[in-house]
Amino acid sequence: SGGSSSGTEDNDTPASIKFVAVGQQGTIITSTDGSTWETQTSGTSTELFDVKYINNNFYAVGRSGLLLKSTDGESWESISTGTSANLIGIFYGNNLFIIVAGNETSGGNSIILTSSDGSSWSKITTNTQRELSDSTYFNSRYVAVACCGTSVTGNSIGNSTNGSSWGFSGTNFSQNKSLLGITNDGSNLYAVGDSGLVIKSSDFFNWTQLTTGVTTNLTDIVYGGGKLLSVGRSTTIIYSTNGTDWTDRSIGSGEDFR
């Protein structure tokens, strides 16, 4: 199963929608309390991979260059991105929208889209063929991670100081690993991926591998409320309050979390 969810604490959002989740077949569901969910009309049957609440709007990205925008979580409009690449994740930092994506042609390099307003997008072709999976902004640097692709021997993590010029390389812990999620807690970067991998860096350049106690693939990581939380395949859930020691709160075999 695929998809992602987003939440907001903004009490002024229309209809008091606080949570939006997206997934296959263009599915969009919303909730005011996290318990009761309502299906919305997205206007598409294309799979959606990620949704974020940015600058008083919801944005959802998906296959074949699809970008949707909504002011209330209920009515959605399509925004032209000028690409056919699969759009995997959307992020906003330092006054810039970042969309990480796959490639436009088989065997081609992956792309990144940037925008200052969420409407007009610029395309950047990276130096990696690996599909990009997530991004963040830390210490005046945009950072993106890469997962699958035709070559998984390197180029798993990239960075840019201006959002337009990107360089991708590997780390000593992820040359042959897929990295699927990245976040920061204000002091360190944390990236997660295959086989329970969590790596940590205070400067982007030097990484330390952490012991998580799980071996399933970790697909996403977020920070909030003083905790780092990572989810993965087969209902894996781990968390940390100090960024070093991890507690396993997996709920047994079942669906994959994203």
Side-chain angles (χ1 to χ4, degrees):
S1 59
S4 182
S5 61
S6 179
T8 174
E9 295 301 320
D10 185 354
N11 292 324
D12 296 325
T13 52
S16 298
I17 286 178
K18 297 294 188 296
F19 305 97
V20 177
V22 299
Q24 296 177 348
Q25 303 297 317
T27 299
I28 297 178
I29 57 175
T30 61
S31 175
T32 59
D33 58 9
S35 298
T36 303
W37 293 81
E38 179 181 356
T39 300
Q40 305 294 345
T41 300
S42 66
T44 182
S45 60
T46 299
E47 182 176 9
L48 298 169
F49 295 119
D50 192 21
V51 60
K52 291 289 192 324
Y53 186 71
I54 301 170
N55 294 348
N56 300 315
N57 292 292
F58 292 99
Y59 294 87
V61 294
R63 290 192 183 277
S64 304
L66 181 64
L67 171 63
L68 301 179
K69 175 183 177 181
S70 175
T71 58
D72 58 11
E74 298 175 347
S75 300
W76 294 80
E77 63 174 318
S78 179
I79 304 295
S80 176
T81 60
T83 182
S84 60
N86 292 339
L87 307 183
I88 309 300
I90 184 168
F91 175 80
Y92 182 83
N94 195 36
N95 300 314
L96 190 69
F97 288 83
I98 300 284
I99 294 178
V100 292
N103 56 37
E104 294 178 310
T105 57
S106 179
N109 288 358
S110 293
I111 68 165
I112 290 173
L113 300 179
T114 64
S115 174
S116 60
D117 59 9
S119 297
S120 300
W121 295 86
S122 299
K123 181 178 69 175
I124 299 146
T125 301
T126 71
N127 66 334
T128 180
Q129 292 181 337
R130 298 179 71 168
E131 185 176 77
L132 307 181
S133 50
D134 202 7
S135 59
T136 191
Y137 185 77
F138 175 74
N139 280 0
S140 301
R141 187 183 303 274
Y142 297 96
V143 183
V145 291
C147 59
C148 44
T150 56
S151 172
V152 292
T153 58
N155 292 343
S156 57
I157 193 161
N159 80 104
S160 172
T161 55
N162 58 14
S164 57
S165 300
W166 289 79
F168 279 79
S169 61
T171 77
N172 47 332
F173 299 109
S174 63
Q175 289 287 353
N176 297 299
K177 299 282 190 180
S178 288
L179 294 178
L180 298 167
I182 189 165
T183 192
N184 74 85
D185 63 1
S187 299
N188 294 281
L189 287 162
Y190 299 85
V192 300
D194 284 353
S195 304
L197 179 72
V198 178
I199 55 177
K200 172 182 178 179
S201 175
S202 61
D203 61 5
F204 171 79
F205 300 101
N206 301 291
W207 294 84
T208 300
Q209 185 171 7
L210 305 177
T211 300
T212 62
V214 298
T215 57
T216 49
N217 293 353
L218 298 173
T219 54
D220 200 7
I221 183 169
V222 295
Y223 176 76
K227 284 185 179 180
L228 289 154
L229 176 72
S230 182
V231 297
R233 306 300 184 202
S234 301
T235 61
T236 297
I237 304 171
I238 60 173
Y239 76 88
S240 175
T241 56
N242 61 13
T244 300
D245 303 305
W246 294 82
T247 301
D248 185 356
R249 283 293 182 265
S250 303
I251 57 177
S253 60
E255 293 291 327
D256 297 337
F257 285 150
R258 180 68 177 90

